[in-house]
Amino acid sequence: MLTIRAMSDGAGYSAQYLEQRDYYAEGERVVGRWQGRGAELLGLSRDVKTEQFEALRQGCDPNTGEFLRQRQSADRMATDGTTQSRGRNLYDFVISAPKSVSIMASLGKDDRLIGAHRNAVDETVKELEACAQTRVRQDGANEDRDTSNLVLAVYQHDTSRELDPQLHTHVAANLTYDGTEGRWKALQASEIYERRAYLPEVYRNALEREVSSLGYKVEDRHDARGRHLGCEIQGISEKLLQAFSRRSEQRNQAIAEFVKQSGRQPSDNEVAIIVRESRADKQIEMSTEEVRIQQRARLTPQDKLTLSQLREAALGCSETLETERLSAADSLEYAQQHIFERVSVARVDELLAEALRHCRGRIGLGELKGYLVLQESAGTVLRAGHEVATRASLDREQEMVARINRGLGRFERLGGKSDFIASDRLRPEQKQVVQFLLHSHDLAVNLRGAGGTGKTATLQELHRGLREAGRRVRVVRPAYEVGAVWPKATCFPRAARTAWGAPLRLSRTHAPARA
């Protein structure tokens, strides 16, 4: 799991939060470590000192105190004078281990799992750093430039705010070096946000590989609706996971309360705010040993036996356990079939994320990237920036566009010769949609609409109009998959094809935006 917190100030964040556990322990302090190519450029290594962190948070060189960036972070103002967005002084990326790994590491007393988490985080941090960008505003430019370096302060914690076992790592960053302009600049994190689905898959793949090498078996968990809940160590019951997931329960309750009050699901940013506002304050004067005693007191005798047996079994087979390996070719082929079934062009990280889901824990990320480069060299995969397509997907797209264009105006009126009176329960724009479709003489007509614009009611009325015109109607929709939730869709050959993510609108042909 990856969460991102952007802060407009962050003063004292290191001393008050990152260097403290999720409780205050007299004489105990979490020591961060410097990582990233940016840290190397500044000569930073090993332990993070509070004064170094504060200097970098303010954009200064921790060695000389010199201000590194060309300007201070500033709020962006709209034309009416209101604040459009806050300046960003600090980003905190949090990578959390599965609950079963945290329980086995803390209560099962298998410290090797802490190392497994650290190794998986290191691999993920390299990918996160590769996403680093900065804004380019010189000579009227308004774009982002890849820099692929960051100054990273990494802190590892082992409990949640409710003092449940929760192994997680904070990765704090705010500076990147722009080699083109030869100066330090603020991090532009939009590309990292874009890869919020990919980066957790990098972590899960690395962690599952590490955990399996230690002798544990890992399994996928799903809820009652088939949605993927993540991977957990096999043998740890759902009841035990829930018993030590009080923070997750608080989060779910807070989100449910938001839905009840607003009548809608919260956005990603709103979820982040809800989570922060629902968390408890850190407790005062409690040692790590006292926390562990309290945690172990909540284990039943059967829980203790289960954790002990799992640890002993893992220690006994860690040297001989072999995980089934998958080839990069098979995994990428699966991902391409899955991704390009619905689109012609996709982001590179979307493709790699799908390949990692398919072979989680059984392949190296480097292998996947290497085989993708081979496909690019062979011309079977085409790449432009952060986007890719296959030769087959583009050929299919071009054929589809050509076929639809050949069908413009070549057919009799879809609604037949009779006029159709749409129901008064439709809004005027919905009635216009129905009449537009029924008057079509084309092979295909495209109807697009965002959620809540009335597509279902419109298509139901269209269905009635087609039946009254004597047309045979075949209704199709995307196939359901485990973990997928599809919007309502009704499609008619020569009538309507639904797509999502835009206000309700019509077009005469299906012309993909990125063909």
Side-chain angles (χ1 to χ4, degrees), residues 41-52:
L41 291 174
L42 288 175
L44 297 172
S45 62
R46 299 183 180 179
D47 296 350
V48 179
K49 295 182 174 60
T50 305
E51 57 272 20
Q52 292 176 327

Side-chain angles (χ1 to χ4, degrees), residues 109-318:
K109 301 181 180 179
D110 192 345
D111 293 341
R112 300 178 305 158
L113 291 169
I114 298 176
H117 168 73
R118 183 182 295 112
N119 291 340
V121 167
D122 288 346
E123 187 168 325
T124 308
V125 165
K126 289 179 181 178
E127 289 301 297
L128 187 150
E129 186 178 23
C131 304
Q133 293 181 321
T134 191
R135 289 190 175 98
V136 179
R137 299 294 183 266
Q138 285 186 336
D139 302 323
N142 185 16
E143 59 190 29
D144 297 330
R145 176 184 292 136
D146 293 341
T147 57
S148 301
N149 70 83
L150 285 170
V151 183
L152 300 169
V154 181
Y155 297 80
Q156 186 168 291
H157 292 195
D158 57 12
T159 60
S160 71
R161 282 296 177 90
E162 292 301 314
L163 302 189
D164 289 329
Q166 186 54 62
L167 192 58
H168 62 282
T169 300
H170 292 263
V171 182
N174 73 334
L175 278 181
T176 185
Y177 186 75
D178 186 342
T180 302
E181 297 182 22
R183 57 184 175 179
W184 291 95
K185 299 170 70 175
L187 166 66
Q188 165 65 315
S190 57
E191 188 63 26
I192 298 176
Y193 278 97
E194 285 284 345
R195 302 193 189 189
R196 279 179 295 177
Y198 166 66
L199 292 171
E201 289 302 329
V202 174
Y203 171 76
R204 291 172 185 139
N205 180 66
L207 182 70
E208 186 166 331
R209 186 179 65 244
E210 293 278 335
V211 171
S212 297
S213 71
L214 297 178
Y216 292 97
K217 294 182 179 179
V218 181
E219 62 182 1
D220 289 339
R221 300 283 176 97
H222 298 88
D223 64 12
R225 297 178 59 187
R227 292 179 298 187
H228 187 250
L229 299 177
C231 300
E232 303 287 355
I233 292 176
Q234 194 176 97
I236 297 183
S237 68
E238 191 65 32
K239 183 179 179 180
L240 181 55
L241 296 180
Q242 291 299 324
F244 287 98
S245 301
R246 293 178 295 184
R247 184 72 186 110
S248 295
E249 184 61 28
Q250 285 182 347
R251 172 186 180 275
N252 294 338
Q253 289 177 357
I255 291 175
E257 184 62 27
F258 177 93
V259 173
K260 181 179 178 180
Q261 293 180 1
S262 65
R264 63 177 178 82
Q265 292 292 329
S267 66
D268 289 345
N269 286 336
E270 288 170 332
V271 168
I273 294 172
I274 291 170
V275 169
R276 288 202 300 271
E277 292 180 346
S278 67
R279 69 187 181 185
D281 292 333
K282 293 189 177 184
Q283 298 190 17
I284 300 175
E285 295 181 357
M286 179 174 286
S287 69
T288 299
E289 184 56 32
E290 289 174 319
V291 172
R292 292 288 178 265
I293 290 173
Q294 288 190 7
Q295 291 172 344
R296 294 184 188 115
R298 294 164 54 197
L299 292 171
T300 68
Q302 182 58 51
D303 292 336
K304 294 177 182 178
L305 178 62
T306 297
L307 296 181
S308 177
Q309 290 175 338
L310 285 173
R311 179 175 178 271
E312 293 305 316
L315 289 171
C317 69
S318 60

Side-chain angles (χ1 to χ4, degrees), residues 406-427:
R406 289 195 299 268
L408 293 177
R410 296 189 56 189
F411 298 87
E412 62 181 78
R413 183 176 178 271
L414 186 61
K417 297 180 179 180
S418 60
D419 291 330
F420 175 72
I421 306 300
S423 171
D424 288 337
R425 67 188 178 90
L426 297 184
R427 300 190 303 271

